[in-house]
Amino acid sequence: MPKLKLPKPPVPPLPKQLNPRPRRPGGGPAETPLDMAKEAGTSVVDWVDERTSLSGAARWMMFRKVPRGTNWFYTLGSATMFAFLSQAVTGVFLAMYYDPSPTHAYESARYITNEAFLGEFVRGMHKWGSSVMVILVFLHMGRTFFFGAYKYPRELNWIIGVVLLILTMTMSFTGYLLPFDQRSYWATIVGVNINGTGPLVGPYLSDFLRAGPEFGATTLSRFYAIHMLLVPGAIAALIGAHLYLVAKLGTTAPPWLKAETDSELREEVA
Ligand code: HEM
């Protein structure tokens, strides 16, 4: 296929807020406490930026051109990311009280709900948030599929997305065991057995999840480690790669949007 040579988009201008404020006539000190606070904030940002040049990267990431016709469906990826962040924050607070031992897990979860300050609220956020994240990730995947965003040059971002989807499901599966009540215990045995029926890797996978031939104490700590260290770390890293590619490649225009003039696309092909 002949290579299209599209005009390079101009570098986005520095947003107004990042420009240094002109000095007041006379160069006197800032007048109100609010002015002083604003100036202090600007100096801190300037100080960091002078040493890191991070504002360039931030500008590249955040101030991008988006195609005409971009609509609410394009917010589903960010919504998924915020669901993940909410899970991470509430999860940290739950981890302060949760004890992943077979004798204490149920009691520690009960303590969180009934006694810890705002425990029921935080545990509820985490529990409902997990369903919200799963629903959002599917809706976001549907949006990218129906808008054809999986096609060249975004195939790699689709593949990263598939891994993110699997990891999101892994979070739900491993989290379900943690309250260690009758329901979560037996449901997880069923889930691990289903994994075992997979072709080739199935038996190894279920052995790995059980942490041995029997479902027991080691299973719970393994699920906990996967749930709160391994998978969230991988999700965070992959979201970074996913967003890098979104910023680099730009978002796909809605499928019903036509190029403004034919010559814009035909120039090099003819
Ligand atoms: C934790 C899960 C995920 C997060 C946090 C996430 C986040 C995002 C964000 C913020 C965007 C840019 C805004 C947007 O288009 O909505 C995006 C774009 C994209 N995502 Fe995801 N995503 C996730 C999962 C997935 C999955 C499961 C797929 C598909 C299998 C996928 C495929 C894509 C593609 C192809 C784009 C580019 C869209 C375009 O160019 O218009 N993502 N993602």
Side-chain angles (χ1 to χ4, degrees), residues 9-128:
V11 178
L14 193 67
K16 225 175 43 233
Q17 293 79 355
L18 291 180
N19 275 328
R21 270 169 24 117
R23 296 297 303 164
R24 236 168 268 93
E31 283 135 22
T32 65
L34 187 65
D35 275 342
M36 281 155 82
K38 273 189 195 162
E39 267 178 23
T42 315
S43 324
V44 172
V45 172
D46 282 347
W47 190 89
V48 174
D49 193 34
E50 218 177 308
R51 282 149 188 86
T52 59
S53 304
L54 274 177
S55 72
R59 244 192 317 158
W60 178 78
M61 189 75 195
M62 292 193 291
F63 299 93
R64 286 173 287 122
K65 295 222 180 285
V66 292
R68 193 177 311 131
T70 298
N71 55 32
W72 280 98
F73 291 115
Y74 285 73
T75 59
L76 289 166
S78 312
T80 314
M81 188 171 70
F82 280 101
F84 171 68
L85 290 177
S86 158
Q87 290 303 93
V89 172
T90 49
V92 167
F93 286 106
L94 292 176
M96 290 176 187
Y97 294 94
Y98 179 71
D99 181 349
S101 78
T103 43
H104 292 111
Y106 179 81
E107 171 53 26
S108 65
R110 192 205 59 76
Y111 179 86
I112 292 172
T113 301
N114 296 337
E115 279 153 75
F117 176 65
L118 290 181
E120 190 174 6
F121 175 69
V122 175
R123 194 173 164 198
M125 289 260 299
H126 199 75
K127 189 191 149 117
W128 286 99

Side-chain angles (χ1 to χ4, degrees), residues 30-247:
E31 283 135 22
T32 65
L34 187 65
D35 275 342
M36 281 155 82
K38 273 189 195 162
E39 267 178 23
T42 315
S43 324
V44 172
V45 172
D46 282 347
W47 190 89
V48 174
D49 193 34
E50 218 177 308
R51 282 149 188 86
T52 59
S53 304
L54 274 177
S55 72
R59 244 192 317 158
W60 178 78
M61 189 75 195
M62 292 193 291
F63 299 93
R64 286 173 287 122
K65 295 222 180 285
V66 292
R68 193 177 311 131
T70 298
N71 55 32
W72 280 98
F73 291 115
Y74 285 73
T75 59
L76 289 166
S78 312
T80 314
M81 188 171 70
F82 280 101
F84 171 68
L85 290 177
S86 158
Q87 290 303 93
V89 172
T90 49
V92 167
F93 286 106
L94 292 176
M96 290 176 187
Y97 294 94
Y98 179 71
D99 181 349
S101 78
T103 43
H104 292 111
Y106 179 81
E107 171 53 26
S108 65
R110 192 205 59 76
Y111 179 86
I112 292 172
T113 301
N114 296 337
E115 279 153 75
F117 176 65
L118 290 181
E120 190 174 6
F121 175 69
V122 175
R123 194 173 164 198
M125 289 260 299
H126 199 75
K127 189 191 149 117
W128 286 99
S130 70
S131 303
V132 169
M133 183 170 169
V134 170
I135 293 167
L136 284 173
V137 81
F138 273 103
L139 291 176
H140 168 61
M141 184 171 70
R143 196 291 282 174
T144 52
F145 178 75
F146 286 114
F147 281 38
Y150 55 87
K151 294 180 198 170
Y152 174 84
R154 299 185 181 80
E155 303 93 322
L156 184 59
N157 224 11
W158 176 266
I159 293 169
I160 293 176
V162 171
V163 180
L164 279 169
L165 177 72
I166 296 170
L167 291 178
T168 307
M169 304 308 280
T170 310
M171 286 299 276
S172 294
F173 180 59
T174 49
Y176 200 81
L177 176 67
L178 302 183
F180 222 55
D181 52 19
Q182 287 289 328
R183 193 199 334 221
S184 73
Y185 180 84
W186 294 107
T188 308
I189 290 187
V190 172
V192 170
N193 288 343
I194 292 174
N195 272 294
T197 61
L200 302 176
V201 289
Y204 299 103
L205 189 60
S206 61
D207 263 358
F208 171 74
L209 288 170
R210 259 194 314 263
E214 293 295 327
F215 200 93
T218 45
T219 318
L220 183 58
S221 46
R222 180 154 301 191
F223 268 56
Y224 187 51
I226 296 174
H227 184 78
M228 60 93 78
L229 287 171
L230 184 68
V231 180
I235 292 185
L238 285 175
I239 288 181
H242 202 62
L243 292 187
Y244 167 75
L245 286 181
V246 168

